[in-house]
Amino acid sequence: MTGTIPSGGSGENIGHVVFVAAAAAVGGFLFGYDSAVINGAVTGIRRYFEVGPVQIGLVVAVALLGSAVGAWIAGGLADRWGRTRTMQVAASLFAISSVGQALPLAIWDLGFWRVLAGVGIGMASVTGPAYIAEVAPPAYRGRLGSFQQLAIVLGIAVSQLVNYVIAERAGGNVNNRLLGLEAWQWMLGACVLPALLYLLFATIIPESPRFLIAVGKLAAAREVLAEVEGEEGDLDTRIAEIEVLLRGERRPRLRDLRGPRLGLLPIVWIGVLLSVFQQFVGINVIFYYSASLWQSVGINQSDSLLISFSTSIINIVGTFIAIALVDRIGRRPLLLIGSAGMAVALATAAWAFAAGFRSGGAVRLPAAQGAIALVAANVFVLFYALSWGVVVWVLLGEIFPNRIRAVALSVAAAAQWVANWLITVSFPALSAWNLSGAYMGYACFAALSFVFVLFKVRESKGRRLEEMG
């Protein structure tokens, strides 16, 4: 029966599905933008509120707890309200929180708005990949699923560039005033613009055909399938195939994920561990704290922001490499290449930071080790971007069986946010204690991720979603 289902589609159909996938991936742009915008604002927040590293770590990381909550509830909301409506709610939450972050009354108030922003981002992080996987033709699903990570890295790069421009307009100091607010407040407030763009796109893209079939809107589902897969195939057979699967299912619940291994199904554990390893290699240390890290080794504020922007460009280059390769060589080879490259780069950075010495209350590096640390950090970002950055989002959108996809993706994404929080909240204290040891720990997790992929992750390239599980 599946032999009559189109695997690709005409150029016109592919152009339309590319637009739809890109629009859904704007939620990833918000993720990236919010992740990195705090990088430029950290120094300003610390000075404005006169707080130490522990408080700064909590304020930076608290958004991730909100993201874990948003990811946890997103699957149920997406199954109840639909994918696009859930995206609209996520965009609205992020827009409101952006204004609140720009005008905080106190450090606790800033933390509240960052939690609200995190909820919106967490919802988008689940809904976007699931939606893209459900509208993408199988032959293009890997590349279209990569849009999520591409949007994340573009968001990171744009926020770093915006931070740099705002800092320069404020005279190179993020605590200087610009049009009545300090520069760091403008950095956080600028997040409202991509949030409104996401809200616009979420109102014009079509609903997922699988959700439409699930709620009995077969005519609407047929229209969407014709748009994204083409009309040359047998759409009635395609709809019937999805209906058969859905009839044997009910709305997934958390208890549906229960299994014999530590309480969860093996495939759910694979998704959770993919998410955890993606964060435990320490990637967001680079995007949350790199500006203050480079300042600590003697680079001024403006130049540190420019270095962070350069790192974001490397991140984009690596992401394009992954998009070009993910449907050609497959998911597992890219993950293995990335794990090996990250482990070597992180170990090299750890060696360089071991030469650090304290001077004037800050860590300083000899010139040679400083250059090596900078190169190693960028090599790490490159290997992460061409592998784990893209491939994990692709796999999370496609490895779970239809009957549990939404809720399993919510659990895996929530685990990702919790892991992200643990790394983010712990780094300021760890770096103050032993910066080299922190990076060696991340190198060990990169090595462990290689072993995990080698023995536990199966290839999913070219398989239909209905074949999973």
Side-chain angles (χ1 to χ4, degrees):
M1 180 167 63
T2 59
T4 61
I5 300 170
S7 61
S10 68
E12 181 179 349
N13 294 124
I14 295 306
H16 178 71
V17 79
V18 165
F19 167 77
V20 168
V26 175
F29 185 94
L30 297 186
F31 172 16
Y33 197 102
D34 186 70
S35 296
V37 73
I38 197 68
N39 189 7
V42 161
T43 300
I45 293 169
R46 186 175 65 243
R47 292 175 180 171
Y48 184 83
F49 293 110
E50 298 180 350
V51 294
V54 174
Q55 295 95 323
I56 281 295
L58 289 172
V59 169
V60 172
V62 72
L64 303 173
L65 294 181
S67 297
V69 173
W72 186 269
I73 65 175
L77 295 179
D79 283 336
R80 189 174 301 113
W81 296 346
R83 282 42 166 166
T84 56
R85 180 63 59 84
T86 304
M87 292 181 203
Q88 293 165 18
V89 172
S92 300
L93 290 175
F94 193 78
I96 293 168
S97 67
S98 298
V99 177
Q101 287 186 77
L103 304 169
L105 302 175
I107 192 71
W108 61 264
D109 185 47
L110 177 60
F112 168 78
W113 293 114
R114 285 190 55 73
V115 169
L116 189 63
V119 172
I121 292 171
M123 291 171 64
S125 74
V126 169
T127 313
Y131 175 87
I132 293 170
E134 290 178 352
V135 300
Y140 299 93
R141 195 175 60 239
R143 278 166 284 183
L144 293 174
S146 302
F147 281 16
Q148 175 78 2
Q149 181 63 17
L150 177 60
I152 291 172
V153 300
L154 287 174
I156 290 171
V158 170
S159 69
Q160 301 284 25
L161 182 59
V162 170
N163 283 353
Y164 174 72
V165 170
I166 291 174
E168 283 294 294
R169 292 295 301 272
N173 189 321
V174 296
N175 289 104
N176 287 347
R177 286 197 167 267
L178 189 65
L179 299 177
L181 300 176
E182 292 194 1
W184 65 267
Q185 293 176 275
W186 284 110
M187 292 175 180
L188 297 179
C191 297
V192 72
L193 297 178
L196 293 176
L197 180 65
Y198 185 42
L199 180 59
L200 172 64
F201 280 143
T203 61
I204 62 176
I205 58 177
E207 183 52 82
S208 159
R210 285 169 179 80
F211 174 77
L212 292 172
I213 292 171
V215 296
K217 298 181 178 180
L218 302 187
R222 182 187 177 88
E223 283 185 28
V224 177
L225 284 171
E227 290 174 0
V228 300
E229 294 191 358
E231 297 192 36
E232 62 271 19
D234 188 343
L235 294 180
D236 291 332
T237 299
R238 187 79 174 101
I239 290 172
E241 179 190 43
I242 297 173
E243 275 190 301
V244 167
L245 288 168
L246 293 175
R247 271 200 297 270
E249 299 170 7
R250 54 181 173 78
R251 180 168 292 163
R253 302 185 179 112
L254 287 175
R255 64 169 173 262
D256 296 326
L257 306 184
R258 292 176 184 167
R261 297 184 184 177
L262 299 176
L264 291 177
L265 294 170
I267 191 63
V268 178
W269 274 119
I270 288 173
V272 167
L273 289 173
L274 281 169
S275 292
V276 169
F277 277 121
Q278 190 198 47
Q279 298 304 316
F280 273 18
V281 297
I283 185 61
N284 281 314
V285 165
I286 299 293
F287 295 121
Y288 293 152
Y289 297 114
S290 64
S292 56
L293 176 64
W294 300 128
Q295 288 171 43
S296 75
V297 297
I299 298 171
N300 64 41
Q301 279 192 20
S302 292
D303 287 346
S304 68
L305 290 172
L306 192 58
I307 290 172
S308 296
F309 174 66
S310 301
T311 300
S312 299
I313 297 302
I314 292 171
N315 198 13
I316 293 172
V317 171
T319 301
F320 275 113
I321 293 172
I323 291 173
L325 297 178
V326 67
D327 280 326
R328 295 183 183 178
I329 70 173
R331 285 60 159 157
R332 289 183 77 251
L334 280 180
L335 289 178
L336 293 170
I337 291 168
S339 294
M342 289 189 299
V344 172
L346 287 165
T348 302
W351 171 85
F353 284 125
F357 58 92
R358 291 208 166 268
S359 175
V363 176
R364 305 292 178 187
L365 293 179
Q369 280 86 349
I372 290 171
L374 183 58
V375 171
N378 285 321
V379 170
F380 161 59
V381 170
L382 178 64
F383 274 100
Y384 175 88
L386 64 80
S387 60
W388 283 78
V390 166
V391 176
V392 169
W393 287 110
V394 172
L395 285 173
L396 292 182
E398 65 185 13
I399 63 172
F400 302 118
N402 270 346
R403 63 186 178 83
I404 62 168
R405 179 172 298 115
V407 69
L409 183 50
S410 290
V411 170
Q416 186 175 123
W417 289 113
V418 171
N420 193 341
W421 176 79
L422 287 170
I423 292 297
T424 304
V425 77
S426 64
F427 179 75
L430 282 175
S431 62
W433 170 66
N434 190 328
L435 183 60
S436 175
Y439 273 82
M440 184 54 69
Y442 304 146
C444 290
F445 280 115
L448 287 173
S449 72
F450 183 95
V451 177
F452 170 68
V453 173
L454 191 63
F455 291 103
K456 294 297 182 181
V457 178
R458 294 173 56 196
E459 184 58 66
S460 58
K461 181 182 72 170
R463 299 175 63 191
R464 296 190 185 281
L465 292 183
E466 287 71 31
E467 297 173 16
M468 300 298 179

